[in-house]
Amino acid sequence: MAGAVVVAVTIYMAFAGASASWQYYLTADECLAREDTLAKDRLRVGGKVAAKTLQVSSDRRQIAFTFQTAKGRLAVLCAGPPPDNLVEGMDVVVEGRLKGPGLLQGEKLLTRCASKYKSSSADASGKPSEAAAARRP
Amino acid sequence: MIVAGQLALLTAFITAGFSAFALLAGTACERRGLQRAGTVSAAACLVLLTAVTAILIRALLARDFRFACVAEGTDRLLPWYYSLSAFWVGQAGSLLLWSWLLSILAMVFGLWPRSGREPLRPTAFGILMAYLGFLLAVMIFGADPMQPSLEASREGTGLSPLLQHPVMLLHPPIVFLGYAGWAIPFALAAAALITGRLESDWVKQSRPWSLFSWVVLGCGILLGADWAYEELGWGGYWSWDPVENGSLIPWIVGTVLIHALMAWQYRGVLKKTSLALAVATFALCNFATFLTRSGIFSSLHAFSQSPIGWMFLAWMFVLLAGGFVLLLVRRGQLRPQQPVRSFWTRQSLLVLASLGLLLLALVAVAGTTAIPLSRILLGRAIVVGPDFYNGVLVPVGVLLLVTISLVPLLSWGRPPTGEQKRAIRLCVAGGTVAVAAAMLGGVRHPLGLAVVAAVAVTVLSLAAALVLEVRQQQPSLAWPGLRRALGQHRRQYAGFIVHLAFICLAVGVTGSSLGTQRYEATLAEGEAINWADRKVRFVRWIEQRLPDQVVVATELEIGGERAKTFHLLPARHFYTLQRIWTTQVAIHADWAGDFYTILHDNNGQGRASFTLLVNPLMRWMWLSGGVALAGTLLALWPARRSASQHVSERHGGNDPRD
């Protein structure tokens, strides 16, 4: 009897937690392709920050960039402060909702904490991105 | 040196394979000579792996960039201890560390002198060597730690600044030691199932190794949380990320295993469950490696991806399928001896708490694998957030608190006596008083009140259990009776100390989850604000140039009418080689809570932006690791064997309080 109660409560709480927190997980290209059907959904979008698009406000409270996509343009606006290792060309995940055509309003920006460091600040030519070095505290 | 290392690795693989064959075949055919050859091969394998480890350590310390591991994880300006930590930063190095630790533990297990009549040991030793052979094969075919660097480089790419933290010198090796340790209870369970020797021998041998692995993995997880709290600069310590879950899930299942082993040893119940849990815990350690290496999960941890993740997944399914088939074959020998007859017994609460923990583990597995599962089942990838996990964690946590608080006053197999019932009523009354006092003190949240009640009832019930024990031993002499009670039932009280560690963890997690305050401030030099009953003043900027980094720090003075004034130096570091900034948070900690400060930036006009946080009761969470370690060491300490114990063991009896 007590075991049945524990199982029932756990299933109920897991279901309630899942309904409150689930999000579609998409790549930036998938998000653009299905833009029309995702207007009301919570999204977690993963992709690379496109070169020369990352902008951080002077007080570091606002972040803007564009995802690198094969076709089209997906811009992101997100509240800061940005993670330390955020640089152009790196893989990031943005949690938020679509606010208009090609615009993702992010609530949270996640970068990968480098359990294995790969020189993420290097661009295709192997040189460090100037954007990474340009920011000063 | 690279060629020597590669040859040593290859030879270690061959010796591990031969050792496994010799030990298993020697036991099956009862040929002592073959068994001895297996043990000698296992020792040779350990020597060879130690040589490979020494070669890599030497290369790391000498910055020998001909090794890919060294070139990708160090640079010339890196301090020697962080250079050493590059050993376990990469995939190949971490596999080598895991293998080396496993070979040490396997030798300790194989040669540890005990009673001498342990028929499962050679088979289990052989299984451990077979697993070591698997790890070595993965290294040789998928992730070679002796791989030469492709480019002749005079400088390495350096270690990620986020990993340049003292905790990172300990966290990965400790987690791998935990994973290696869980191989031993698995090997014993597999040996018991294969040979059909399902008496309690495997339980007695598994117990110390399970406790060791449990506390090591638990401390490793706690250190990882501490690193996230101090280094990642977001104010939290746990985000239910797949990689974090990867190590937590086997730890939860291992917790249940330890309790199931007790139920088997003392009451002859949960036999199939114990064996299944030993297999599952170890299989889940392999699943954790799959999580980090497969790349199919949405994780914030950027491990390098490779096919070795799939090798570990395949291995996990082999373990689970093999374990299931063997359990099915042996099910006739695994019937419970003394089924549960009363709810108010230790084993009933143990079963209930175990059920809760297993459901929590199941939920963590479901949440972690949500992306591939939803792709298969729904055709769309779905992730779940922290609410999914926390929603289950809260009721399971409350269930655990209730069971932990009552357990000292319950017995194995029989309902509570009149004295125990009276003591339970008194403890519950004490808990009610504590809740009323907490409400008067301003605590309103039901979860906070539940933790207060649990703390009070647990401490009171532990004291009451001791009093009852002393009365039974020597009613007139309190101190000698207490000493005798603690001495005779040391393991039981050690277990209760570990339960107190869980209470500390619950206090820390609940306090920091419910009572966190956060404030975003932008201040000019000399400016002050009043926040959270404190005055926070931005004293000055500090700039410092080090050989490999530029440090920009701020000095904050934090004081209050009722508190001592203290100074904090939140900073940002610019690493010149990697050309990235990192945040160094500054924390003032005491038993009431942490004052946590994050420096964000200079906004261009000499003003600085900060995030200020008050995280109540955090220190209790870190304390839980120390308490658990102390309790486990006390439980593992070898017992003095008295004449009565010899007699008891000869008759196959166990004192349920040990």
Side-chain angles (χ1 to χ4, degrees):
Chain A
M1 175 65 186
V5 172
V6 171
V7 173
V9 169
T10 307
I11 291 172
Y12 172 75
M13 294 305 286
F15 184 75
S19 347
S21 70
W22 70 270
Q23 298 165 323
Y24 282 124
Y25 181 71
L26 304 151
T27 63
D29 282 310
E30 285 170 340
C31 184
L32 275 176
R34 294 194 211 154
E35 210 174 4
D36 301 338
T37 59
L38 297 169
K40 290 179 182 169
D41 294 316
R42 287 187 301 267
L43 305 174
R44 184 183 275 209
V45 183
K48 271 193 195 326
V49 178
K52 296 177 185 172
T53 63
L54 177 63
Q55 291 179 325
V56 180
S57 65
S58 63
D59 63 355
R60 294 171 64 79
R61 305 279 187 218
Q62 280 292 325
I63 311 155
F65 66 89
T66 304
F67 272 121
Q68 190 178 307
T69 48
K71 212 166 97 177
R73 182 176 181 275
L74 182 61
V76 178
L77 281 177
C78 194
D84 284 329
N85 53 346
L86 176 66
V87 287
E88 289 167 354
M90 86 177 306
D91 285 315
V92 296
V93 174
V94 178
E95 289 181 11
R97 290 171 192 272
L98 286 170
K99 278 287 166 193
L103 177 63
L104 180 66
Q105 180 68 55
E107 289 154 17
K108 205 190 266 184
L109 172 66
L110 309 163
T111 56
R112 294 183 161 211
C113 69
S115 300
K116 163 86 175 139
Y117 178 71
K118 293 279 184 192
S119 190
S120 55
S121 57
D123 62 19
S125 65
K127 290 175 188 166
S129 157
E130 288 307 312
R135 289 187 287 123
R136 249 194 73 89
Chain B
M1 289 308 270
I2 288 178
V3 176
Q6 285 173 330
L7 276 175
L9 201 61
L10 191 63
T11 319
F13 170 61
I14 295 166
T15 50
F18 174 74
S19 170
F21 164 77
L23 285 162
L24 294 172
T27 312
C29 309
E30 294 183 358
R31 288 178 62 179
R32 289 281 171 125
L34 205 52
Q35 282 185 30
R36 268 197 297 276
T39 307
V40 171
S41 297
C45 183
L46 171 59
V47 170
L48 287 162
L49 277 174
T50 306
V52 180
T53 305
I55 288 171
L56 189 54
I57 288 175
R58 189 199 148 276
L60 286 164
L61 295 179
R63 314 294 199 278
D64 186 345
F65 299 122
R66 288 173 298 172
F67 288 76
C69 274
V70 181
E72 288 172 10
T74 65
D75 62 79
R76 290 195 189 279
L77 293 174
L78 200 64
W80 68 269
Y81 40 91
Y82 287 135
S83 191
L84 187 63
S85 77
F87 192 115
W88 42 83
V89 163
Q91 176 173 271
S94 56
L95 273 173
L96 175 60
L97 178 71
W98 188 353
S99 307
W100 184 56
L101 293 171
L102 179 64
S103 67
I104 294 171
L105 292 185
M107 279 311 290
V108 172
F109 170 76
L111 299 179
W112 191 270
R114 282 171 70 98
S115 69
R117 263 195 75 254
E118 283 155 354
L120 291 179
R121 187 172 294 196
T123 311
F125 193 11
I127 292 168
L128 285 175
M129 292 311 293
Y131 182 63
L132 183 58
F134 164 75
L135 289 181
L136 288 165
V138 171
M139 265 191 281
I140 290 167
F141 299 112
D144 182 5
M146 296 289 113
Q147 193 186 345
S149 182
L150 289 176
E151 296 167 25
S153 171
R154 297 178 68 181
E155 184 54 274
T157 51
L159 185 68
S160 166
L162 292 175
L163 303 180
Q164 293 178 35
H165 188 280
V167 169
M168 271 295 143
L169 300 174
L170 296 172
H171 162 66
I174 287 180
V175 168
F176 282 117
L177 184 61
Y179 287 169
W182 282 119
I184 295 175
F186 157 76
L188 283 162
L193 282 166
I194 291 166
T195 59
R197 293 176 185 275
L198 293 159
E199 315 84 59
S200 60
D201 183 43
W202 89 271
V203 177
K204 281 185 188 164
Q205 286 192 66
S206 287
R207 182 187 160 277
W209 289 104
S210 301
L211 283 174
F212 165 79
S213 314
W214 178 84
V215 79
V216 167
L217 185 57
C219 287
I221 293 169
L222 210 56
L223 283 171
D226 182 37
W227 169 75
Y229 186 63
E230 290 187 14
E231 186 62 33
L232 297 185
W234 56 287
Y237 48 85
W238 194 263
S239 61
W240 295 105
D241 182 80
V243 171
E244 296 168 352
N245 295 352
S247 51
L248 181 70
I249 296 165
W251 183 80
I252 294 174
V253 178
T255 309
V256 183
L257 168 63
I258 288 167
H259 290 85
L261 288 174
M262 285 161 62
W264 183 333
Q265 193 171 0
Y266 303 145
R267 304 302 300 168
V269 293
L270 299 185
K271 293 182 176 180
K272 288 190 269 295
T273 310
S274 300
L275 288 159
L277 288 170
V279 176
T281 305
F282 181 58
L284 287 165
C285 292
N286 289 275
F287 180 65
T289 309
F290 166 67
L291 281 177
T292 56
R293 304 296 175 194
S294 64
I296 64 167
F297 300 93
S298 165
S299 170
L300 305 180
H301 292 68
F303 289 97
S304 51
Q305 292 159 18
S306 76
I308 74 159
W310 297 95
M311 295 183 200
F312 279 93
L313 186 71
W315 181 254
M316 186 192 83
F317 279 117
V318 168
L319 292 176
L320 290 177
F324 179 73
V325 169
L326 284 169
L327 269 175
L328 214 60
V329 171
R330 303 286 183 199
R331 67 186 186 284
Q333 292 170 259
L334 295 167
R335 293 205 175 88
Q337 286 162 356
Q338 300 169 60
V340 178
R341 291 208 176 83
S342 164
F343 178 76
W344 296 106
T345 58
R346 281 193 184 174
Q347 69 259 40
S348 297
L349 292 197
L350 183 148
V351 168
L352 205 60
S354 299
L355 182 66
L357 279 170
L358 288 178
L359 287 168
L360 178 63
L362 198 66
V363 163
V365 171
T368 305
T369 55
I371 290 181
L373 279 183
S374 58
R375 270 206 184 110
I376 294 165
L377 298 173
L378 307 171
R380 303 182 87 167
I382 285 174
V383 283
V384 288
D387 285 352
F388 174 69
Y389 303 97
N390 292 337
V392 177
L393 180 69
V394 170
V396 170
V398 170
L399 174 70
L400 294 180
L401 289 174
V402 171
T403 51
I404 281 175
S405 59
L406 292 177
V407 148
L409 288 169
L410 296 176
S411 311
W412 289 96
R414 59 180 165 79
T417 61
E419 266 189 326
Q420 284 173 324
K421 280 181 189 166
R422 270 195 300 282
I424 289 173
R425 279 196 286 271
L426 272 174
C427 293
V428 172
T432 313
V433 171
V435 167
M439 287 181 82
L440 285 174
V443 180
R444 288 289 180 273
H445 199 284
L447 195 56
L449 294 172
V451 172
V452 169
V455 172
V457 177
T458 305
V459 173
L460 289 172
S461 67
L462 200 49
L466 265 173
V467 169
L468 293 181
E469 183 89 39
V470 172
R471 269 198 207 164
Q472 218 175 15
Q473 298 265 350
Q474 273 172 306
S476 56
L477 296 167
W479 178 241
L482 184 66
R483 275 184 59 186
R484 207 162 150 190
L486 289 174
Q488 277 185 357
H489 307 300
R490 175 172 51 89
R491 287 177 180 174
Q492 173 185 255
Y493 289 103
F496 293 156
I497 290 174
V498 177
H499 284 179
L500 285 177
F502 177 78
I503 297 282
C504 290
L505 185 70
V507 168
V509 171
T510 311
S512 60
S513 306
L514 299 180
T516 293
Q517 297 175 64
R518 188 185 184 104
Y519 186 73
E520 305 291 338
T522 300
L523 300 173
E525 218 165 321
E527 192 180 348
I529 52 161
N530 287 309
W531 176 71
D533 297 331
R534 291 174 178 89
K535 185 177 181 183
V536 181
R537 192 166 73 88
F538 172 20
V539 180
R540 62 187 173 121
W541 285 100
I542 302 165
E543 193 160 327
Q544 194 183 3
R545 286 185 182 274
L546 301 172
D548 62 336
Q549 56 191 283
V550 178
V551 180
V552 181
T554 49
E555 184 182 345
L556 292 177
E557 184 187 75
I558 296 112
E561 285 176 16
R562 286 175 295 173
K564 266 190 195 168
T565 299
F566 55 89
H567 290 247
L568 291 175
L569 298 170
R572 287 175 58 76
H573 294 215
F574 180 69
Y575 286 81
T576 46
L577 178 68
Q578 292 90 351
R579 300 182 70 75
I580 59 170
W581 288 97
T582 65
T583 301
Q584 297 292 314
V585 304
I587 305 167
H588 174 81
D590 60 31
W591 292 106
D594 288 4
F595 196 92
Y596 186 106
T597 56
I598 311 166
L599 168 67
H600 293 303
D601 213 349
N602 173 350
N603 72 354
Q605 295 148 9
R607 294 163 73 85
S609 303
F610 300 94
T611 296
L612 310 175
L613 289 129
V614 171
N615 287 332
L617 305 173
M618 277 299 293
R619 200 180 255 191
W620 292 87
M621 198 167 83
W622 312 129
L623 176 72
S624 70
V627 177
L629 192 61
T632 309
L633 285 177
L634 195 62
L636 286 174
W637 204 259
R640 270 183 295 183
R641 294 160 71 83
S642 63
S644 63
Q645 275 176 309
H646 281 293
V647 172
S648 168
E649 279 179 18
R650 270 208 302 277
H651 292 283
N654 293 302
D655 186 338
R657 290 172 298 185
D658 275 352

